[in-house]
Amino acid sequence: MGRYILRRFLLILPTLLGILLINFIIVQFAPGGPVEQILAQASGANISTTASVSGGSASSSSSYQGSQGVDPDFIKQLEKQFGFDKPAHERFFAMVLDYLTLDFGRSYFQDRPVFDLVVERLPVSISLGLWSLLAIYLISVPLGIRKAVRDGSRFDLWTSAAIFLAYAIPGFMFAVMLVVIFAGGSYLGWFPLRGLTSSSFSELSWWGQIKDYAWHLALPVTALTIGGFATLTMLTKNSFLEEINKQFVLTARAKGLTEARVMYGHVFRNAMLIVIAGFPAAFVGILFTGSLLIEVIFSLDGIGLLGYDAVIKRDYPILFGTLFVFTLIGLIMQLIGDLVYVMVDPRIDFESRET
Protein backbone atom coordinates (compact mmCIF):
# COMPACT_ATOMS: atom_id res chain seq x y z
CA MET A 1 0.00 0.00 0.00
CA GLY A 2 2.91 2.31 0.69
CA ARG A 3 4.13 2.09 -2.89
CA TYR A 4 0.66 2.89 -4.20
CA ILE A 5 0.39 5.98 -1.97
CA LEU A 6 3.83 7.12 -3.10
CA ARG A 7 2.84 6.73 -6.77
CA ARG A 8 -0.31 8.74 -6.21
CA PHE A 9 1.60 11.53 -4.51
CA LEU A 10 4.11 11.61 -7.35
CA LEU A 11 1.23 11.94 -9.83
CA ILE A 12 -0.20 14.99 -8.05
CA LEU A 13 2.49 17.37 -9.35
CA PRO A 14 2.13 16.58 -13.11
CA THR A 15 -1.67 16.56 -12.76
CA LEU A 16 -1.63 20.01 -11.17
CA LEU A 17 0.79 21.22 -13.84
CA GLY A 18 -1.41 19.91 -16.67
CA ILE A 19 -4.61 21.45 -15.27
CA LEU A 20 -2.92 24.81 -14.71
CA LEU A 21 -1.48 24.73 -18.23
CA ILE A 22 -4.83 23.98 -19.88
CA ASN A 23 -6.60 26.74 -17.96
CA PHE A 24 -3.74 29.18 -18.54
CA ILE A 25 -4.05 28.61 -22.31
CA ILE A 26 -7.83 29.08 -22.17
CA VAL A 27 -7.45 32.33 -20.23
CA GLN A 28 -5.10 33.73 -22.89
CA PHE A 29 -7.94 33.65 -25.42
CA ALA A 30 -10.68 34.84 -23.06
CA PRO A 31 -11.79 38.43 -23.73
CA GLY A 32 -12.33 41.04 -21.04
CA GLY A 33 -9.05 40.74 -19.15
CA PRO A 34 -7.93 43.15 -16.43
CA VAL A 35 -6.25 45.50 -18.91
CA GLU A 36 -9.44 45.73 -20.97
CA GLN A 37 -11.50 46.37 -17.83
CA ILE A 38 -9.23 49.25 -16.83
CA LEU A 39 -9.42 50.60 -20.38
CA ALA A 40 -13.22 50.39 -20.28
CA GLN A 41 -13.24 52.43 -17.08
CA ALA A 42 -10.71 54.89 -18.47
CA SER A 43 -12.63 55.34 -21.72
CA GLY A 44 -15.30 57.35 -19.95
CA ALA A 45 -13.08 59.39 -17.67
CA ASN A 46 -9.48 59.55 -18.75
CA ILE A 47 -9.42 59.43 -22.55
CA SER A 48 -9.47 63.21 -22.85
CA THR A 49 -6.67 63.43 -20.31
CA THR A 50 -4.46 60.86 -22.03
CA ALA A 51 -5.20 62.41 -25.42
CA SER A 52 -4.24 65.88 -24.22
CA VAL A 53 -1.02 64.54 -22.76
CA SER A 54 -0.04 63.15 -26.15
CA GLY A 55 -0.96 66.34 -27.92
CA GLY A 56 -4.50 65.34 -28.88
CA SER A 57 -3.38 62.75 -31.39
CA ALA A 58 -3.22 59.64 -29.22
CA SER A 59 -3.96 56.47 -31.11
CA SER A 60 -3.27 52.85 -30.44
CA SER A 61 -2.74 49.81 -32.55
CA SER A 62 -3.19 47.60 -29.48
CA SER A 63 -5.32 44.49 -29.76
CA TYR A 64 -7.16 45.36 -26.54
CA GLN A 65 -10.80 46.25 -26.93
CA GLY A 66 -11.42 49.86 -25.99
CA SER A 67 -7.84 50.91 -26.61
CA GLN A 68 -8.77 53.31 -29.40
CA GLY A 69 -7.82 56.86 -28.40
CA VAL A 70 -5.90 55.77 -25.30
CA ASP A 71 -2.27 56.79 -24.84
CA PRO A 72 -0.04 53.78 -25.79
CA ASP A 73 2.21 54.55 -22.83
CA PHE A 74 -0.78 54.13 -20.54
CA ILE A 75 -1.48 50.71 -22.07
CA LYS A 76 2.16 49.67 -21.64
CA GLN A 77 2.00 50.78 -18.03
CA LEU A 78 -1.08 48.62 -17.48
CA GLU A 79 0.57 45.63 -19.14
CA LYS A 80 3.60 46.01 -16.89
CA GLN A 81 1.39 46.41 -13.83
CA PHE A 82 -0.44 43.13 -14.54
CA GLY A 83 2.62 41.30 -15.84
CA PHE A 84 1.43 41.11 -19.45
CA ASP A 85 4.58 42.78 -20.78
CA LYS A 86 6.25 39.35 -20.83
CA PRO A 87 5.58 36.45 -23.22
CA ALA A 88 2.91 33.95 -22.13
CA HIS A 89 5.34 31.06 -21.62
CA GLU A 90 7.57 33.15 -19.34
CA ARG A 91 4.55 34.15 -17.24
CA PHE A 92 3.41 30.53 -16.98
CA PHE A 93 6.75 29.15 -15.85
CA ALA A 94 7.20 32.02 -13.40
CA MET A 95 3.75 31.23 -11.97
CA VAL A 96 4.62 27.52 -11.63
CA LEU A 97 7.87 28.30 -9.80
CA ASP A 98 6.01 30.61 -7.42
CA TYR A 99 3.33 27.97 -6.79
CA LEU A 100 6.00 25.50 -5.69
CA THR A 101 6.55 27.78 -2.70
CA LEU A 102 2.79 28.44 -2.28
CA ASP A 103 3.24 31.99 -3.55
CA PHE A 104 0.03 32.66 -5.48
CA GLY A 105 0.87 36.31 -6.16
CA ARG A 106 -1.24 39.34 -5.27
CA SER A 107 -4.80 40.06 -6.25
CA TYR A 108 -5.14 42.57 -9.08
CA PHE A 109 -8.06 44.41 -7.53
CA GLN A 110 -7.84 43.67 -3.77
CA ASP A 111 -4.07 44.28 -3.49
CA ARG A 112 -3.64 41.42 -1.02
CA PRO A 113 -1.68 38.15 -1.24
CA VAL A 114 -3.87 35.48 -2.80
CA PHE A 115 -2.60 32.92 -0.29
CA ASP A 116 -3.97 35.02 2.58
CA LEU A 117 -7.33 35.37 0.83
CA VAL A 118 -7.57 31.62 0.23
CA VAL A 119 -6.60 30.73 3.81
CA GLU A 120 -9.11 33.26 5.08
CA ARG A 121 -11.99 31.93 2.96
CA LEU A 122 -11.25 28.19 2.89
CA PRO A 123 -12.61 27.36 6.40
CA VAL A 124 -16.01 28.75 5.41
CA SER A 125 -16.28 26.46 2.39
CA ILE A 126 -14.95 23.43 4.26
CA SER A 127 -17.35 23.89 7.19
CA LEU A 128 -20.28 24.34 4.81
CA GLY A 129 -19.31 21.22 2.87
CA LEU A 130 -18.73 19.05 5.94
CA TRP A 131 -21.99 19.99 7.68
CA SER A 132 -23.92 19.48 4.46
CA LEU A 133 -22.37 16.05 3.87
CA LEU A 134 -23.07 15.05 7.46
CA ALA A 135 -26.74 15.98 7.02
CA ILE A 136 -26.90 14.20 3.65
CA TYR A 137 -25.47 10.96 5.06
CA LEU A 138 -27.68 11.08 8.18
CA ILE A 139 -30.73 11.29 5.91
CA SER A 140 -29.70 9.19 2.93
CA VAL A 141 -28.26 6.10 4.62
CA PRO A 142 -31.23 5.29 6.93
CA LEU A 143 -33.70 6.22 4.19
CA GLY A 144 -31.89 4.11 1.59
CA ILE A 145 -31.80 1.10 3.94
CA ARG A 146 -35.50 1.51 4.72
CA LYS A 147 -36.35 1.70 1.03
CA ALA A 148 -34.33 -1.46 0.33
CA VAL A 149 -36.05 -3.39 3.12
CA ARG A 150 -39.49 -2.25 1.96
CA ASP A 151 -38.76 -2.34 -1.76
CA GLY A 152 -41.92 -2.06 -3.84
CA SER A 153 -44.10 -0.89 -0.95
CA ARG A 154 -46.12 2.33 -0.87
CA PHE A 155 -43.44 3.88 1.34
CA ASP A 156 -40.84 3.09 -1.32
CA LEU A 157 -42.98 4.58 -4.10
CA TRP A 158 -43.83 7.80 -2.29
CA THR A 159 -40.29 8.42 -1.10
CA SER A 160 -38.97 7.68 -4.60
CA ALA A 161 -41.29 10.34 -6.01
CA ALA A 162 -39.99 12.88 -3.46
CA ILE A 163 -36.39 11.88 -4.19
CA PHE A 164 -36.79 12.25 -7.95
CA LEU A 165 -38.42 15.66 -7.45
CA ALA A 166 -35.48 16.80 -5.29
CA TYR A 167 -33.04 15.43 -7.86
CA ALA A 168 -34.76 17.27 -10.72
CA ILE A 169 -34.58 20.69 -9.04
CA PRO A 170 -31.08 22.22 -8.72
CA GLY A 171 -29.84 23.04 -5.24
CA PHE A 172 -29.54 26.75 -5.99
CA MET A 173 -33.25 26.84 -6.84
CA PHE A 174 -34.02 25.50 -3.38
CA ALA A 175 -31.67 28.14 -2.00
CA VAL A 176 -33.58 30.93 -3.76
CA MET A 177 -36.87 29.49 -2.51
CA LEU A 178 -35.58 29.36 1.06
CA VAL A 179 -34.39 32.97 0.82
CA VAL A 180 -37.76 34.11 -0.51
CA ILE A 181 -39.73 32.28 2.17
CA PHE A 182 -37.56 32.33 5.30
CA ALA A 183 -34.92 35.06 4.89
CA GLY A 184 -37.05 38.15 4.44
CA GLY A 185 -37.57 37.79 0.69
CA SER A 186 -41.37 38.00 0.62
CA TYR A 187 -42.75 36.18 3.64
CA LEU A 188 -40.84 35.33 6.82
CA GLY A 189 -37.65 36.84 8.21
CA TRP A 190 -36.59 34.02 10.49
CA PHE A 191 -33.05 33.55 9.20
CA PRO A 192 -30.21 35.92 8.21
CA LEU A 193 -29.26 36.37 4.58
CA ARG A 194 -25.53 37.13 4.82
CA GLY A 195 -22.50 35.52 6.44
CA LEU A 196 -21.98 32.62 8.83
CA THR A 197 -21.92 34.73 12.00
CA SER A 198 -23.44 37.94 13.33
CA SER A 199 -21.48 41.16 13.76
CA SER A 200 -21.62 40.69 17.56
CA PHE A 201 -20.40 37.08 17.40
CA SER A 202 -17.26 37.72 19.49
CA GLU A 203 -19.34 39.24 22.30
CA LEU A 204 -21.60 36.19 22.69
CA SER A 205 -21.13 33.35 25.15
CA TRP A 206 -19.89 29.99 23.82
CA TRP A 207 -23.46 28.67 23.77
CA GLY A 208 -24.65 31.86 22.09
CA GLN A 209 -21.92 31.51 19.45
CA ILE A 210 -23.02 27.93 18.71
CA LYS A 211 -26.65 29.04 18.28
CA ASP A 212 -25.65 32.01 16.15
CA TYR A 213 -23.47 29.82 13.92
CA ALA A 214 -26.25 27.23 13.53
CA TRP A 215 -28.78 30.00 12.84
CA HIS A 216 -26.70 31.35 9.95
CA LEU A 217 -25.82 27.88 8.66
CA ALA A 218 -29.38 26.50 8.64
CA LEU A 219 -30.55 27.69 5.21
CA PRO A 220 -27.32 27.04 3.23
CA VAL A 221 -26.97 23.53 4.65
CA THR A 222 -30.67 22.83 4.03
CA ALA A 223 -30.33 23.92 0.39
CA LEU A 224 -27.25 21.74 -0.16
CA THR A 225 -28.84 18.78 1.64
CA ILE A 226 -32.07 18.88 -0.38
CA GLY A 227 -30.13 19.19 -3.58
CA GLY A 228 -27.66 16.39 -2.78
CA PHE A 229 -29.35 13.60 -0.81
CA ALA A 230 -31.23 12.00 -3.73
CA THR A 231 -28.25 10.33 -5.42
CA LEU A 232 -26.82 8.91 -2.19
CA THR A 233 -30.23 7.59 -1.10
CA MET A 234 -30.73 5.63 -4.31
CA LEU A 235 -27.12 4.44 -4.24
CA THR A 236 -27.63 3.12 -0.70
CA LYS A 237 -30.89 1.40 -1.64
CA ASN A 238 -29.47 -0.28 -4.73
CA SER A 239 -26.34 -1.37 -2.87
CA PHE A 240 -28.40 -3.00 -0.12
CA LEU A 241 -30.78 -4.63 -2.61
CA GLU A 242 -27.83 -6.20 -4.41
CA GLU A 243 -26.46 -7.65 -1.17
CA ILE A 244 -29.85 -8.79 0.16
CA ASN A 245 -30.38 -10.99 -2.89
CA LYS A 246 -27.05 -12.81 -2.58
CA GLN A 247 -26.78 -16.44 -1.51
CA PHE A 248 -25.04 -15.83 1.83
CA VAL A 249 -28.00 -13.74 3.00
CA LEU A 250 -30.43 -16.56 2.16
CA THR A 251 -28.16 -18.96 4.03
CA ALA A 252 -28.07 -16.70 7.10
CA ARG A 253 -31.85 -16.46 7.13
CA ALA A 254 -32.14 -20.24 6.75
CA LYS A 255 -30.02 -20.65 9.89
CA GLY A 256 -32.68 -18.77 11.85
CA LEU A 257 -30.89 -15.46 12.33
CA THR A 258 -33.07 -12.46 13.03
CA GLU A 259 -33.66 -9.93 10.26
CA ALA A 260 -31.77 -7.27 12.20
CA ARG A 261 -28.78 -9.62 12.63
CA VAL A 262 -28.84 -10.49 8.94
CA MET A 263 -29.13 -6.87 7.88
CA TYR A 264 -26.57 -5.27 10.18
CA GLY A 265 -24.31 -8.24 10.81
CA HIS A 266 -23.91 -9.52 7.25
CA VAL A 267 -25.37 -7.10 4.69
CA PHE A 268 -24.39 -3.73 6.15
CA ARG A 269 -20.61 -3.97 5.82
CA ASN A 270 -20.63 -5.10 2.20
CA ALA A 271 -23.43 -2.76 1.14
CA MET A 272 -21.91 0.30 2.81
CA LEU A 273 -18.53 -0.16 1.11
CA ILE A 274 -19.29 2.05 -1.86
CA VAL A 275 -21.32 4.50 0.27
CA ILE A 276 -18.64 5.10 2.90
CA ALA A 277 -15.77 5.10 0.45
CA GLY A 278 -17.60 7.65 -1.69
CA PHE A 279 -17.53 10.26 1.10
CA PRO A 280 -14.31 11.99 -0.09
CA ALA A 281 -15.58 12.21 -3.68
CA ALA A 282 -18.94 13.55 -2.46
CA PHE A 283 -17.15 16.19 -0.40
CA VAL A 284 -15.15 17.30 -3.43
CA GLY A 285 -18.35 17.46 -5.50
CA ILE A 286 -20.05 19.74 -2.99
CA LEU A 287 -16.92 21.86 -2.56
CA PHE A 288 -16.41 22.28 -6.31
CA THR A 289 -19.95 22.77 -7.59
CA GLY A 290 -22.66 22.68 -4.96
CA SER A 291 -21.34 25.29 -2.56
CA LEU A 292 -20.30 27.82 -5.21
CA LEU A 293 -23.78 29.10 -6.08
CA ILE A 294 -24.92 28.64 -2.48
CA GLU A 295 -22.11 30.92 -1.30
CA VAL A 296 -23.08 33.48 -3.93
CA ILE A 297 -26.79 33.38 -3.01
CA PHE A 298 -26.21 33.60 0.75
CA SER A 299 -23.18 35.94 0.48
CA LEU A 300 -20.89 33.54 2.33
CA ASP A 301 -17.24 34.57 2.18
CA GLY A 302 -15.98 31.17 1.07
CA ILE A 303 -13.53 30.12 -1.58
CA GLY A 304 -16.38 29.49 -4.03
CA LEU A 305 -17.54 33.11 -3.84
CA LEU A 306 -13.92 34.25 -4.03
CA GLY A 307 -13.38 32.27 -7.25
CA TYR A 308 -16.68 33.49 -8.70
CA ASP A 309 -15.76 37.13 -8.13
CA ALA A 310 -12.33 36.45 -9.65
CA VAL A 311 -13.94 35.10 -12.82
CA ILE A 312 -16.24 38.13 -13.11
CA LYS A 313 -13.40 40.62 -12.53
CA ARG A 314 -10.77 38.59 -14.42
CA ASP A 315 -8.58 38.61 -11.32
CA TYR A 316 -6.22 35.95 -12.66
CA PRO A 317 -4.03 35.43 -9.55
CA ILE A 318 -7.12 34.60 -7.47
CA LEU A 319 -8.58 32.56 -10.32
CA PHE A 320 -5.51 30.33 -10.64
CA GLY A 321 -4.94 30.25 -6.88
CA THR A 322 -8.43 28.94 -6.13
CA LEU A 323 -8.16 26.51 -9.06
CA PHE A 324 -4.88 25.19 -7.63
CA VAL A 325 -6.40 24.73 -4.16
CA PHE A 326 -9.56 23.05 -5.53
CA THR A 327 -7.49 20.66 -7.65
CA LEU A 328 -5.08 19.83 -4.83
CA ILE A 329 -7.94 19.12 -2.44
CA GLY A 330 -9.66 16.97 -5.07
CA LEU A 331 -6.55 14.86 -5.71
CA ILE A 332 -5.87 14.36 -2.00
CA MET A 333 -9.51 13.42 -1.32
CA GLN A 334 -9.40 10.85 -4.13
CA LEU A 335 -6.40 9.26 -2.46
CA ILE A 336 -8.20 9.31 0.88
CA GLY A 337 -11.16 7.63 -0.84
CA ASP A 338 -8.93 4.76 -1.95
CA LEU A 339 -7.57 4.40 1.59
CA VAL A 340 -11.12 4.30 2.97
CA TYR A 341 -11.93 1.49 0.53
CA VAL A 342 -9.07 -0.55 2.01
CA MET A 343 -10.15 0.24 5.58
CA VAL A 344 -13.74 -0.85 4.92
CA ASP A 345 -12.78 -3.93 2.91
CA PRO A 346 -9.20 -5.20 3.49
CA ARG A 347 -9.60 -7.59 0.54
CA ILE A 348 -9.05 -4.64 -1.82
CA ASP A 349 -5.37 -4.39 -2.74
CA PHE A 350 -4.32 -1.36 -4.76
CA GLU A 351 -0.69 -2.42 -4.40
CA SER A 352 -1.11 -5.20 -6.98
CA ARG A 353 -2.54 -2.84 -9.61
CA GLU A 354 -0.50 -1.89 -12.64
CA THR A 355 1.21 1.49 -12.56
Side-chain angles (χ1 to χ4, degrees):
M1 193 63 187
R3 291 171 55 191
Y4 173 75
I5 295 176
L6 179 61
R7 289 200 305 265
R8 289 293 297 270
F9 271 115
L10 292 177
L11 285 173
I12 287 179
L13 185 59
T15 303
L16 284 171
L17 182 63
I19 292 176
L20 287 175
L21 176 61
I22 292 173
N23 285 273
F24 185 85
I25 294 174
I26 294 174
V27 163
Q28 303 309 305
F29 298 97
V35 174
E36 291 178 331
Q37 293 201 19
I38 297 297
L39 290 175
Q41 297 175 6
S43 63
N46 297 330
I47 284 182
S48 58
T49 303
T50 57
S52 61
V53 170
S54 59
S57 59
S59 61
S60 175
S61 59
S62 173
S63 60
Y64 295 112
Q65 296 181 7
S67 62
Q68 186 67 32
V70 179
D71 188 358
D73 292 336
F74 179 61
I75 297 178
K76 292 180 180 180
Q77 180 182 354
L78 290 177
E79 289 178 337
K80 185 176 181 179
Q81 175 184 346
F82 294 115
F84 295 144
D85 56 330
K86 300 178 182 179
H89 67 278
E90 291 186 12
R91 287 186 279 119
F92 176 75
F93 285 116
M95 181 183 71
V96 171
L97 292 176
D98 290 338
Y99 275 33
L100 292 176
T101 60
L102 295 181
D103 180 6
F104 300 151
R106 298 184 68 88
S107 169
Y108 287 160
F109 301 102
Q110 299 189 43
D111 195 27
R112 290 183 58 191
V114 175
F115 182 83
D116 293 346
L117 291 171
V118 171
V119 171
E120 180 182 299
R121 304 289 187 92
L122 192 58
V124 176
S125 297
I126 291 178
S127 64
L128 181 61
L130 287 178
W131 284 116
S132 300
L133 272 185
L134 178 62
I136 289 173
Y137 269 76
L138 289 177
I139 295 173
S140 299
V141 172
L143 180 59
I145 296 174
R146 188 67 173 172
K147 285 175 64 62
V149 173
R150 302 183 61 180
D151 182 44
S153 65
R154 297 178 66 178
F155 171 82
D156 182 42
L157 295 177
W158 282 108
T159 53
S160 294
I163 289 171
F164 291 143
L165 177 62
Y167 182 78
I169 302 177
F172 71 89
M173 290 297 296
F174 284 113
V176 173
M177 182 183 67
L178 292 174
V179 168
V180 171
I181 298 177
F182 298 108
S186 300
Y187 300 96
L188 305 174
W190 292 351
F191 295 94
L193 185 58
R194 298 179 58 86
L196 283 183
T197 57
S198 300
S199 57
S200 59
F201 182 80
S202 60
E203 303 173 2
L204 301 175
S205 64
W206 67 270
W207 177 243
Q209 290 181 346
I210 293 176
K211 291 192 297 182
D212 183 76
Y213 178 69
W215 182 47
H216 283 76
L217 203 64
L219 293 187
V221 169
T222 300
L224 282 173
T225 302
I226 294 176
F229 85 100
T231 301
L232 184 60
T233 300
M234 298 308 298
L235 178 64
T236 304
K237 175 190 174 182
N238 293 334
S239 180
F240 270 81
L241 281 178
E242 182 180 356
E243 294 297 324
I244 288 173
N245 294 324
K246 288 185 176 179
Q247 184 64 41
F248 76 92
V249 176
L250 299 177
T251 303
R253 287 172 174 167
K255 290 181 178 180
L257 297 180
T258 63
E259 190 65 24
R261 178 69 181 276
V262 172
M263 182 63 63
Y264 295 101
H266 293 76
V267 175
F268 187 83
R269 180 173 180 176
N270 293 332
M272 287 298 294
L273 172 62
I274 189 173
V275 177
I276 296 176
F279 183 91
F283 175 74
V284 172
I286 284 187
L287 197 64
F288 268 89
T289 57
S291 64
L292 192 150
L293 289 177
I294 300 300
E295 290 180 9
V296 173
I297 293 172
F298 289 100
S299 299
L300 302 176
D301 290 330
I303 195 171
L305 181 60
L306 180 66
Y308 174 81
D309 289 337
V311 172
I312 298 300
K313 298 177 180 178
R314 301 297 195 271
D315 198 336
Y316 294 149
I318 293 181
L319 180 61
F320 285 111
T322 53
L323 174 66
F324 179 87
V325 171
F326 274 136
T327 306
L328 182 61
I329 292 176
L331 293 172
I332 293 176
M333 294 303 288
Q334 285 182 356
L335 176 58
I336 293 176
D338 290 343
L339 297 180
V340 173
Y341 267 113
V342 176
M343 292 175 58
V344 176
D345 189 351
R347 296 171 299 177
I348 298 176
D349 183 17
F350 289 106
E351 191 71 35
S352 60
R353 292 170 55 179
E354 295 291 336
T355 304

